[in-house]
mmCIF file of all heavy atoms in Angstrom:
data_model
loop_
_atom_site.group_PDB
_atom_site.id
_atom_site.type_symbol
_atom_site.label_atom_id
_atom_site.label_comp_id
_atom_site.label_asym_id
_atom_site.label_seq_id
_atom_site.Cartn_x
_atom_site.Cartn_y
_atom_site.Cartn_z
ATOM 1 N N HIS A 1 97.752 101.925 88.951
ATOM 2 C CA HIS A 1 96.500 101.162 89.047
ATOM 3 C C HIS A 1 95.274 102.062 89.175
ATOM 4 O O HIS A 1 94.162 101.560 89.313
ATOM 5 C CB HIS A 1 96.543 100.202 90.250
ATOM 6 C CG HIS A 1 97.516 99.078 90.062
ATOM 7 N ND1 HIS A 1 98.867 99.231 90.244
ATOM 8 C CD2 HIS A 1 97.316 97.792 89.685
ATOM 9 C CE1 HIS A 1 99.472 98.078 90.015
ATOM 10 N NE2 HIS A 1 98.566 97.198 89.676
ATOM 11 N N ASN A 2 95.499 103.381 89.158
ATOM 12 C CA ASN A 2 94.392 104.347 89.157
ATOM 13 C C ASN A 2 93.414 104.136 90.307
ATOM 14 O O ASN A 2 92.211 104.279 90.169
ATOM 15 C CB ASN A 2 93.620 104.276 87.831
ATOM 16 C CG ASN A 2 94.506 104.636 86.651
ATOM 17 O OD1 ASN A 2 95.306 105.572 86.727
ATOM 18 N ND2 ASN A 2 94.366 103.898 85.569
ATOM 19 N N GLY A 3 93.958 103.717 91.466
ATOM 20 C CA GLY A 3 93.108 103.584 92.654
ATOM 21 C C GLY A 3 92.164 102.405 92.625
ATOM 22 O O GLY A 3 91.244 102.336 93.426
ATOM 23 N N LYS A 4 92.340 101.452 91.709
ATOM 24 C CA LYS A 4 91.429 100.308 91.619
ATOM 25 C C LYS A 4 92.110 99.015 92.048
ATOM 26 O O LYS A 4 91.802 97.944 91.564
ATOM 27 C CB LYS A 4 90.915 100.156 90.188
ATOM 28 C CG LYS A 4 90.120 101.372 89.710
ATOM 29 C CD LYS A 4 89.647 101.181 88.288
ATOM 30 C CE LYS A 4 88.856 102.396 87.805
ATOM 31 N NZ LYS A 4 88.409 102.257 86.394
ATOM 32 N N LEU A 5 93.055 99.153 92.975
ATOM 33 C CA LEU A 5 93.828 97.981 93.381
ATOM 34 C C LEU A 5 92.971 96.918 94.044
ATOM 35 O O LEU A 5 93.212 95.731 93.882
ATOM 36 C CB LEU A 5 94.939 98.428 94.342
ATOM 37 C CG LEU A 5 96.171 99.041 93.663
ATOM 38 C CD1 LEU A 5 97.017 99.751 94.683
ATOM 39 C CD2 LEU A 5 96.974 97.978 92.948
ATOM 40 N N LEU A 6 91.963 97.342 94.793
ATOM 41 C CA LEU A 6 91.180 96.365 95.541
ATOM 42 C C LEU A 6 89.959 95.866 94.793
ATOM 43 O O LEU A 6 89.207 95.050 95.292
ATOM 44 C CB LEU A 6 90.747 96.976 96.879
ATOM 45 C CG LEU A 6 91.882 97.269 97.870
ATOM 46 C CD1 LEU A 6 91.317 97.727 99.190
ATOM 47 C CD2 LEU A 6 92.772 96.059 98.059
ATOM 48 N N SER A 7 89.746 96.364 93.599
ATOM 49 C CA SER A 7 88.568 95.948 92.854
ATOM 50 C C SER A 7 88.608 94.462 92.518
ATOM 51 O O SER A 7 87.633 93.749 92.677
ATOM 52 C CB SER A 7 88.460 96.767 91.562
ATOM 53 O OG SER A 7 88.317 98.134 91.859
ATOM 54 N N PHE A 8 89.766 93.999 92.040
ATOM 55 C CA PHE A 8 89.894 92.597 91.630
ATOM 56 C C PHE A 8 90.953 91.849 92.452
ATOM 57 O O PHE A 8 90.903 90.626 92.545
ATOM 58 C CB PHE A 8 90.266 92.521 90.143
ATOM 59 C CG PHE A 8 89.271 93.204 89.241
ATOM 60 C CD1 PHE A 8 89.530 94.459 88.728
ATOM 61 C CD2 PHE A 8 88.076 92.584 88.919
ATOM 62 C CE1 PHE A 8 88.612 95.091 87.896
ATOM 63 C CE2 PHE A 8 87.155 93.213 88.094
ATOM 64 C CZ PHE A 8 87.420 94.469 87.579
ATOM 65 N N GLY A 9 91.895 92.570 92.995
ATOM 66 C CA GLY A 9 93.000 91.895 93.689
ATOM 67 C C GLY A 9 92.897 91.926 95.188
ATOM 68 O O GLY A 9 93.917 91.830 95.872
ATOM 69 N N ILE A 10 91.677 92.065 95.748
ATOM 70 C CA ILE A 10 91.552 92.188 97.193
ATOM 71 C C ILE A 10 92.029 90.930 97.922
ATOM 72 O O ILE A 10 92.701 91.016 98.944
ATOM 73 C CB ILE A 10 90.088 92.513 97.586
ATOM 74 C CG1 ILE A 10 90.001 92.732 99.090
ATOM 75 C CG2 ILE A 10 89.129 91.429 97.108
ATOM 76 C CD1 ILE A 10 88.667 93.285 99.539
ATOM 77 N N ILE A 11 91.718 89.762 97.384
ATOM 78 C CA ILE A 11 92.114 88.513 98.045
ATOM 79 C C ILE A 11 93.631 88.381 98.067
ATOM 80 O O ILE A 11 94.232 88.086 99.110
ATOM 81 C CB ILE A 11 91.479 87.295 97.341
ATOM 82 C CG1 ILE A 11 89.949 87.372 97.453
ATOM 83 C CG2 ILE A 11 92.000 86.004 97.943
ATOM 84 C CD1 ILE A 11 89.236 86.250 96.746
ATOM 85 N N ALA A 12 94.273 88.609 96.912
ATOM 86 C CA ALA A 12 95.735 88.509 96.843
ATOM 87 C C ALA A 12 96.391 89.554 97.728
ATOM 88 O O ALA A 12 97.414 89.292 98.381
ATOM 89 C CB ALA A 12 96.204 88.672 95.398
ATOM 90 N N THR A 13 95.810 90.757 97.783
ATOM 91 C CA THR A 13 96.384 91.832 98.590
ATOM 92 C C THR A 13 96.326 91.498 100.074
ATOM 93 O O THR A 13 97.315 91.635 100.799
ATOM 94 C CB THR A 13 95.634 93.153 98.328
ATOM 95 O OG1 THR A 13 95.710 93.461 96.932
ATOM 96 C CG2 THR A 13 96.244 94.288 99.125
ATOM 97 N N ILE A 14 95.164 91.040 100.538
ATOM 98 C CA ILE A 14 95.017 90.692 101.950
ATOM 99 C C ILE A 14 95.899 89.492 102.305
ATOM 100 O O ILE A 14 96.523 89.454 103.364
ATOM 101 C CB ILE A 14 93.539 90.388 102.269
ATOM 102 C CG1 ILE A 14 92.683 91.647 102.057
ATOM 103 C CG2 ILE A 14 93.384 89.886 103.692
ATOM 104 C CD1 ILE A 14 91.202 91.403 102.199
ATOM 105 N N TRP A 15 95.950 88.513 101.396
ATOM 106 C CA TRP A 15 96.774 87.321 101.630
ATOM 107 C C TRP A 15 98.237 87.716 101.790
ATOM 108 O O TRP A 15 98.908 87.263 102.713
ATOM 109 C CB TRP A 15 96.607 86.348 100.479
ATOM 110 C CG TRP A 15 97.266 85.022 100.699
ATOM 111 C CD1 TRP A 15 98.580 84.710 100.485
ATOM 112 C CD2 TRP A 15 96.653 83.810 101.178
ATOM 113 N NE1 TRP A 15 98.822 83.393 100.791
ATOM 114 C CE2 TRP A 15 97.659 82.822 101.222
ATOM 115 C CE3 TRP A 15 95.356 83.487 101.550
ATOM 116 C CZ2 TRP A 15 97.397 81.526 101.640
ATOM 117 C CZ3 TRP A 15 95.099 82.187 101.974
ATOM 118 C CH2 TRP A 15 96.109 81.229 102.005
ATOM 119 N N SER A 16 98.726 88.581 100.914
ATOM 120 C CA SER A 16 100.116 89.014 100.982
ATOM 121 C C SER A 16 100.374 89.832 102.241
ATOM 122 O O SER A 16 101.416 89.685 102.888
ATOM 123 C CB SER A 16 100.475 89.843 99.745
ATOM 124 O OG SER A 16 100.336 89.081 98.565
ATOM 125 N N ALA A 17 99.426 90.693 102.589
ATOM 126 C CA ALA A 17 99.596 91.538 103.768
ATOM 127 C C ALA A 17 99.617 90.728 105.056
ATOM 128 O O ALA A 17 100.218 91.142 106.052
ATOM 129 C CB ALA A 17 98.479 92.578 103.830
ATOM 130 N N SER A 18 98.981 89.545 105.052
ATOM 131 C CA SER A 18 98.923 88.719 106.262
ATOM 132 C C SER A 18 100.139 87.811 106.415
ATOM 133 O O SER A 18 100.243 87.102 107.422
ATOM 134 C CB SER A 18 97.648 87.865 106.253
ATOM 135 O OG SER A 18 97.676 86.918 105.187
ATOM 136 N N ASN A 19 101.053 87.815 105.451
ATOM 137 C CA ASN A 19 102.239 86.952 105.545
ATOM 138 C C ASN A 19 103.087 87.289 106.768
ATOM 139 O O ASN A 19 103.651 86.400 107.414
ATOM 140 C CB ASN A 19 103.087 87.075 104.278
ATOM 141 C CG ASN A 19 102.542 86.261 103.126
ATOM 142 O OD1 ASN A 19 101.851 85.262 103.331
ATOM 143 N ND2 ASN A 19 102.822 86.694 101.903
ATOM 144 N N GLY A 20 103.204 88.591 107.065
ATOM 145 C CA GLY A 20 103.985 88.990 108.236
ATOM 146 C C GLY A 20 103.383 88.458 109.519
ATOM 147 O O GLY A 20 104.105 87.954 110.387
ATOM 148 N N ILE A 21 102.057 88.553 109.662
ATOM 149 C CA ILE A 21 101.385 88.035 110.853
ATOM 150 C C ILE A 21 101.540 86.529 110.927
ATOM 151 O O ILE A 21 101.748 85.962 112.012
ATOM 152 C CB ILE A 21 99.885 88.407 110.831
ATOM 153 C CG1 ILE A 21 99.714 89.924 110.767
ATOM 154 C CG2 ILE A 21 99.185 87.839 112.055
ATOM 155 C CD1 ILE A 21 100.214 90.660 111.968
ATOM 156 N N ASN A 22 101.452 85.857 109.794
ATOM 157 C CA ASN A 22 101.586 84.401 109.767
ATOM 158 C C ASN A 22 102.975 83.974 110.241
ATOM 159 O O ASN A 22 103.122 82.951 110.921
ATOM 160 C CB ASN A 22 101.324 83.890 108.346
ATOM 161 C CG ASN A 22 100.995 82.413 108.310
ATOM 162 O OD1 ASN A 22 100.221 81.919 109.135
ATOM 163 N ND2 ASN A 22 101.582 81.701 107.376
ATOM 164 N N ALA A 23 103.999 84.748 109.882
ATOM 165 C CA ALA A 23 105.357 84.450 110.338
ATOM 166 C C ALA A 23 105.484 84.655 111.842
ATOM 167 O O ALA A 23 106.183 83.897 112.535
ATOM 168 C CB ALA A 23 106.359 85.330 109.589
ATOM 169 N N ILE A 24 104.787 85.668 112.377
ATOM 170 C CA ILE A 24 104.796 85.906 113.820
ATOM 171 C C ILE A 24 104.139 84.743 114.553
ATOM 172 O O ILE A 24 104.601 84.323 115.620
ATOM 173 C CB ILE A 24 104.081 87.234 114.141
ATOM 174 C CG1 ILE A 24 104.905 88.414 113.632
ATOM 175 C CG2 ILE A 24 103.827 87.375 115.637
ATOM 176 C CD1 ILE A 24 104.233 89.751 113.810
ATOM 177 N N VAL A 25 103.066 84.186 113.982
ATOM 178 C CA VAL A 25 102.383 83.034 114.583
ATOM 179 C C VAL A 25 103.354 81.867 114.741
ATOM 180 O O VAL A 25 103.423 81.235 115.803
ATOM 181 C CB VAL A 25 101.169 82.612 113.723
ATOM 182 C CG1 VAL A 25 100.601 81.285 114.210
ATOM 183 C CG2 VAL A 25 100.099 83.690 113.748
ATOM 184 N N ARG A 26 104.118 81.587 113.698
ATOM 185 C CA ARG A 26 105.085 80.477 113.763
ATOM 186 C C ARG A 26 106.167 80.744 114.812
ATOM 187 O O ARG A 26 106.592 79.830 115.528
ATOM 188 C CB ARG A 26 105.715 80.266 112.392
ATOM 189 C CG ARG A 26 104.739 79.774 111.335
ATOM 190 C CD ARG A 26 105.461 79.209 110.119
ATOM 191 N NE ARG A 26 106.297 80.231 109.480
ATOM 192 C CZ ARG A 26 105.872 81.042 108.512
ATOM 193 N NH1 ARG A 26 104.610 80.960 108.092
ATOM 194 N NH2 ARG A 26 106.669 81.929 107.969
ATOM 195 N N ALA A 27 106.615 81.985 114.920
ATOM 196 C CA ALA A 27 107.650 82.332 115.899
ATOM 197 C C ALA A 27 107.125 82.166 117.328
ATOM 198 O O ALA A 27 107.835 81.654 118.209
ATOM 199 C CB ALA A 27 108.129 83.771 115.669
#
């Protein structure tokens, strides 16, 4: 991705990264 991962996919990246925290909330 030549270091441009967050240029367009920042929302999807943050959403995916927060899945672990969201699972902890349910637990």
Side-chain angles (χ1 to χ4, degrees):
H1 291 79
N2 298 319
K4 298 179 180 178
L5 280 166
L6 293 186
S7 298
F8 302 102
I10 184 170
I11 297 178
T13 302
I14 296 174
W15 187 277
S16 299
S18 65
N19 281 334
I21 301 295
N22 199 44
I24 291 176
V25 170
R26 294 196 299 270

